[in-house]
Amino acid sequence: MAATSRVRQYASNWTEQVKEDMQVEHSKNDDGNTRIWSNQDMDPTPPEKRTWAWHNYLLYFVATGFNNWQGGSSVIGVGLGWKLAIAIAFLSTGIAGCVQALNSKAAARYHIGFPALARSVWGMWGSTFQVTVRAILAAVWYATKTFEAASYLDIMMTCIFGHAYTDIPNHVPESIGYTTRDFLCYFLVWLVATPFLFRRPHQLRWFFTVSCVLSFPSIFGLFIYCITLSKGSLGLNENVGTQKLDKGAAAWLAIYSLTSSISNGSTYIESVSDIARWAKTRNSVIIPTLFCNILFNPMSAVLGILGTSALQSYSGQTLWKPWDVMGYMLEQHPGSSGVKFGVFLLAFTWAFQTLSQNISSNMIPFGSDASMLWPKHLTMTRGYIIVHLLAWVICPWKIYVSASTFLNFMGSYGILMGPAVSIMLCEYWIVSRGNIFVPSIYIGSKTNPNYWYHGGWNVQAYCAWITAVGICLIGFINKIGVSVPAAGEKLGYLGWLLTFFTGGIVYVAINKVWPHPNVKNFQGLKWEELADRNVEQYNGVEVFDDEQRGVAEMTDFKTDVKVSADSI
């Protein structure tokens, strides 16, 4: 009876949470105009929800990062040797980790997500384009990760039902590239993810903790099998997947693999703001981010490289996808129930990790973006539902045709994301010296004294972004299948790295000779002075912590706004 009562209570709480999440609570900043600029998800995180301590972020980054088997082994899949593959694994995750840590700072200090931060950099209207670009990437990756989880479920179903499952007749045309069996797994994974649509990030700490624990048996289980099968022989020097390339071709392929691997993390780099906003302290995020990405998470890619190489040495096959390795395990031991049970557990841990990674790095960012693009009608929860439905519109199985296709997909979009990140970093760390006028993020008219810029657009930021993207645009065109000259193709190889540094340097240079209108408002302010003032950030407004005053004057921030403390 006690268990039944507990289940009923949990179900009742869940139902109430769903109702609450589906409602749009407009910010107290909105003045009744037809255009709404905020809701409960765009507003700064209230103090009672800033519950993520440093150890929560440590567990989170391990859960979402210590499963990069494919990132390293796919480099071998395109013909590079193991030494270069390991170097690229450490260098790419190290660069991405440093940028990610820098990008988390503003969110942890001001407790606002990526869409709100984007307004402070790109302008009230200019931010819409950048948020849309990220939302598209998140939607594509959400479908892609759902596909990955479905591939692991396919292995699990094979282990449980055997031929009763594998002999399911296919009623889907071969031109689709997916079978009836595959669609069944895709649907089941999609169904399992549905309850998480109604959970907020501060309610999912336990989920990422479980995922962190499962990450170790998932990676090491796969690695141990590969090493055991080859009897300890890694076959590194005679790796059958390594092509004989001249030095020039190998160098450009290595650069391309590096930029593609960083681009693979571009969604994590930008989405960290949507997790960092829940931080309990200002330094809760940075140290765990650096530790995991520079020292810890690259090891999963190294294990993937060594495991792939060992399996190549034994079988002569290049199997860089974990679910392909598991399928090979079942083929080698068709009648062993013990092997089936072990593979089932292995596939389960990988599926769980993939689900947690999908929620944190794709579903949550898309929900945040949706709440900014149409705050009058969309909350994060409604955004979750939209991207969940879009998983059927996008065809992720087309992306995984080969290792080269996978790297092409990762590398091309990074050309757009690289300069966006660097411009936002330069604005916070150099131009504004860590100061953000939070109330102005929610004023969508020319009365906005800080972020209206030029008609709602930060022209200086877009000049830098267009310059950076323009340099590599011919390479981007090449990635989508258009033939271009050899020089243009090599510009595409530089991708994320070239656009990242170009965007930041050009933006700082422009503001030296032609500063944007908000630069004058930072004069005289110290580093993060606005964040250090004794203020309470809540519902998009900042109120001085002074019980003796009924009205708190927002001197902040060089605005003339006054807000009644009693109305908050």
Side-chain angles (χ1 to χ4, degrees), residues 132-159:
T132 301
V133 168
R134 191 186 76 147
I136 293 172
L137 181 64
V140 173
W141 271 113
Y142 185 85
T144 302
K145 287 297 179 181
T146 302
F147 168 85
E148 287 189 17
S151 300
Y152 296 124
L153 181 59
D154 179 71
I155 298 294
M156 295 164 64
M157 298 282 277
T158 301
C159 293

Side-chain angles (χ1 to χ4, degrees), residues 67 69-70 145-159 185 189 222 321-324 326 343-344 346-355:
N67 59 356
W69 179 282
Q70 296 169 226
K145 287 297 179 181
T146 302
F147 168 85
E148 287 189 17
S151 300
Y152 296 124
L153 181 59
D154 179 71
I155 298 294
M156 295 164 64
M157 298 282 277
T158 301
C159 293
C185 291
V189 168
L222 211 59
K321 302 171 188 138
W323 55 86
D324 285 342
M326 296 175 201
V343 171
F344 172 84
L346 197 58
F348 173 79
T349 59
W350 275 93
F352 193 97
Q353 267 197 292
T354 304
L355 179 61

Side-chain angles (χ1 to χ4, degrees), residues 146 149-150 153 184-194 355 388:
T146 302
L153 181 59
L184 173 62
C185 291
Y186 195 84
F187 171 74
L188 291 175
V189 168
W190 184 86
L191 202 62
V192 168
T194 301
L355 179 61
H388 199 50

Side-chain angles (χ1 to χ4, degrees), residues 147-477:
F147 168 85
E148 287 189 17
S151 300
Y152 296 124
L153 181 59
D154 179 71
I155 298 294
M156 295 164 64
M157 298 282 277
T158 301
C159 293
I160 296 173
F161 300 107
H163 286 287
Y165 169 71
T166 57
D167 293 341
I168 293 177
N170 180 38
H171 300 288
V172 179
E174 291 185 7
S175 59
I176 299 297
Y178 224 34
T179 66
T180 300
R181 195 178 91 186
D182 296 329
F183 275 115
L184 173 62
C185 291
Y186 195 84
F187 171 74
L188 291 175
V189 168
W190 184 86
L191 202 62
V192 168
T194 301
F196 294 97
L197 304 179
F198 306 100
R199 300 283 89 182
R200 298 300 175 94
H202 68 280
Q203 299 168 319
L204 291 173
R205 288 177 300 168
W206 66 270
F207 184 70
F208 297 123
T209 300
V210 174
S211 180
C212 174
V213 173
L214 293 179
S215 66
F216 295 97
S218 67
I219 284 286
F220 284 103
L222 211 59
F223 174 72
I224 290 172
Y225 172 80
C226 293
I227 294 299
T228 302
L229 198 64
S230 67
K231 297 181 180 179
S233 173
L234 295 177
L236 296 174
N237 294 324
E238 65 276 4
N239 193 297
V240 295
T242 302
Q243 301 176 14
K244 298 297 182 181
L245 302 171
D246 60 70
K247 291 184 179 180
W252 278 109
L253 191 57
I255 292 172
Y256 175 49
S257 297
L258 173 65
T259 57
S260 296
S261 297
I262 298 174
S263 295
N264 182 27
S266 61
T267 180
Y268 308 115
I269 292 172
E270 285 203 332
S271 64
V272 71
S273 302
D274 297 311
I275 296 296
R277 64 179 295 187
W278 310 92
K280 185 178 292 186
T281 67
R282 68 178 68 184
N283 295 319
S284 296
V285 190
I286 289 185
I287 295 177
T289 304
L290 293 173
F291 171 77
C292 290
N293 284 284
I294 295 177
L295 299 176
F296 192 78
N297 289 345
M299 290 304 301
S300 62
V302 172
L303 293 175
I305 291 167
L306 298 179
T308 298
S309 184
L311 197 57
Q312 284 178 337
S313 176
Y314 175 81
S315 67
Q317 300 182 53
T318 304
L319 302 177
W320 62 280
K321 302 171 188 138
W323 55 86
D324 285 342
V325 178
M326 296 175 201
Y328 179 82
M329 294 166 69
L330 293 176
E331 291 175 2
Q332 294 298 304
H333 311 279
S336 174
S337 57
V339 169
K340 287 182 178 179
F341 180 68
V343 171
F344 172 84
L345 293 179
L346 197 58
F348 173 79
T349 59
W350 275 93
F352 193 97
Q353 267 197 292
T354 304
L355 179 61
S356 71
Q357 193 176 48
N358 207 17
I359 290 171
S360 66
S361 302
N362 302 313
M363 188 181 80
I364 291 175
F366 188 93
S368 298
D369 295 342
S371 69
M372 179 270 197
L373 293 173
W374 204 6
K376 186 176 182 179
H377 298 286
L378 293 180
T379 61
M380 287 180 67
T381 299
R382 295 182 183 185
Y384 297 163
I385 294 172
I386 291 172
V387 75
H388 199 50
L389 295 174
L390 286 176
W392 288 101
V393 179
I394 300 165
C395 300
W397 44 89
K398 297 293 185 182
I399 298 172
Y400 278 89
V401 175
S402 68
S404 297
T405 303
F406 187 53
L407 287 176
N408 280 336
F409 168 71
M410 292 191 299
S412 59
Y413 217 94
I415 293 173
L416 305 178
M417 305 290 283
V421 173
S422 65
I423 289 169
M424 293 184 70
L425 289 177
C426 288
E427 171 64 30
Y428 185 79
W429 288 87
I430 300 174
V431 178
S432 67
R433 297 191 297 277
N435 290 287
I436 297 177
F437 302 99
V438 174
S440 294
I441 292 174
Y442 308 96
I443 303 174
S445 67
K446 60 183 180 181
T447 60
N448 188 327
N450 302 107
Y451 302 125
W452 193 245
Y453 295 113
H454 304 278
W457 294 74
N458 185 348
V459 176
Q460 287 85 344
Y462 271 101
C463 285
W465 186 84
I466 291 171
T467 300
V469 172
I471 291 175
C472 284
L473 186 59
I474 190 171
F476 179 82
I477 294 173

Side-chain angles (χ1 to χ4, degrees), residues 516-528:
H516 62 64
N518 199 33
V519 169
K520 65 180 183 296
N521 295 326
F522 298 122
Q523 294 177 1
L525 291 177
K526 299 177 181 178
W527 168 254
E528 290 187 340

